[in-house]
Amino acid sequence: MHAVILAGGKGVRLRPYTTALPKPLVPIGDRHAILEIVLRQLAAAGFTSCTLAIGHLGHIIRAYVGNGSQWGLRVGYSTEDSPLGTMGPLLTMMDRLPERFLVMNGDVLTDLDYGDVLTRHTDSGAPLTVATYARKVAIDFGVLTTESGRVTGFAEKPSMDYRVSMGVYGLSRDTLAGYTPGLPLGFDELMLDLLKAGDPPHAYEFDGYWLDIGRPDDYDRANAEFTTHRGLLLKGA
């Protein structure tokens, strides 16, 4: 099994931590970087190879990860010279990708079974599989429903339930056919194109532990919780 880890972003929202380090290498706990945790998890899930899509401070990621042998993986690299979006980097490595593979952000902390995501994607026959997570969003205002200038409904500070993308996908190589290498392609554009074409993605619903480390408070939470969640995230390590 093969995975592509998207690790080329600048991590602007996580500054100042990412001023000198690429976001996937910020430390969690006192021993591990986020990317190391992900690589260990992939190896434990049965993945044998991985491509790191790098850009900002990519040379530091290369120096840290090397060829991946320390985690039992074969790691290669694809360099992003200009921002290509979430899916755009994949178009530059099509000749190196298997028919079906995993794609994920390099800043995800979760106990999701990556191998099962790819297996379920393969079995579904869908063009794209999206790992999803239930989130409740609190609205801090009184919400009005209006029609023709009249208030027809009211809810005081309601909560709304959504399923959100976890930043982990099962993808088929043929799904990217027709897009131009070197041009930006976002996850949102790919999703809308598939829905418009009547070829909907498959949803992999997950209710375990998931934290998207995008902001300083997320990072602080990850470090605060890592001690109690280490056995969950790094089984057997």
Side-chain angles (χ1 to χ4, degrees):
M1 293 190 292
H2 185 80
V4 177
I5 301 178
L6 305 171
K10 293 184 178 180
V12 174
R13 292 183 302 157
L14 202 57
R15 288 177 178 169
Y17 300 115
T18 52
T19 301
L21 279 177
K23 184 163 63 168
L25 292 189
V26 295
I28 300 295
D30 58 359
R31 292 179 53 191
H32 307 287
I34 302 173
L35 183 57
E36 178 192 350
I37 294 172
V38 169
L39 292 170
R40 286 177 178 270
Q41 290 175 325
L42 287 171
F47 286 80
T48 57
S49 59
C50 174
T51 302
L52 291 177
I54 58 176
H56 177 66
L57 300 177
H59 62 287
I60 300 179
I61 294 177
R62 279 182 181 269
Y64 184 89
V65 176
N67 63 10
S69 59
Q70 59 184 312
W71 300 294
L73 293 167
R74 298 189 309 274
V75 174
Y77 298 87
S78 177
T79 302
E80 183 179 325
D81 295 322
S82 60
L84 295 175
T86 311
M87 295 293 172
L90 303 174
L91 302 177
T92 66
M93 61 178 90
M94 293 286 282
D95 59 339
R96 290 179 280 159
L97 294 175
E99 185 176 351
R100 294 178 182 87
F101 53 95
L102 190 82
V103 183
M104 64 177 296
N105 295 337
D107 57 357
V108 174
L109 204 59
T110 179
D111 65 326
L112 175 68
D113 185 337
Y114 297 123
D116 192 52
V117 174
L118 187 53
T119 297
R120 293 269 293 276
H121 170 68
T122 301
D123 293 344
S124 73
L128 171 70
T129 295
V130 183
T132 70
Y133 196 80
R135 274 290 176 89
K136 185 181 292 290
V137 179
I139 309 299
D140 292 331
F141 303 95
V143 175
L144 304 174
T145 303
T146 63
E147 184 177 341
S148 301
R150 298 178 61 192
V151 176
T152 58
F154 174 76
E156 175 63 18
K157 297 181 179 178
S159 293
M160 298 185 179
D161 296 320
Y162 297 92
R163 292 210 72 90
V164 301
S165 169
M166 295 175 60
V168 180
Y169 320 102
L171 188 59
S172 298
R173 192 174 55 198
D174 290 347
T175 303
L176 300 176
Y179 293 101
T180 304
L183 295 181
L185 176 64
F187 167 72
D188 53 346
E189 182 180 350
L190 180 61
M191 282 283 288
L192 292 172
D193 286 347
L194 290 172
L195 293 172
K196 183 179 179 180
D199 196 9
H202 176 72
Y204 183 102
E205 297 186 355
F206 178 71
D207 60 2
Y209 182 79
W210 174 65
L211 185 59
D212 176 17
I213 304 175
R215 300 168 301 179
D217 56 341
D218 299 321
Y219 179 56
D220 292 342
R221 177 185 165 189
N223 275 286
E225 294 179 348
F226 184 69
T227 300
T228 56
H229 287 84
R230 187 181 188 281
L232 183 69
L233 297 169
L234 290 173
K235 298 179 178 67

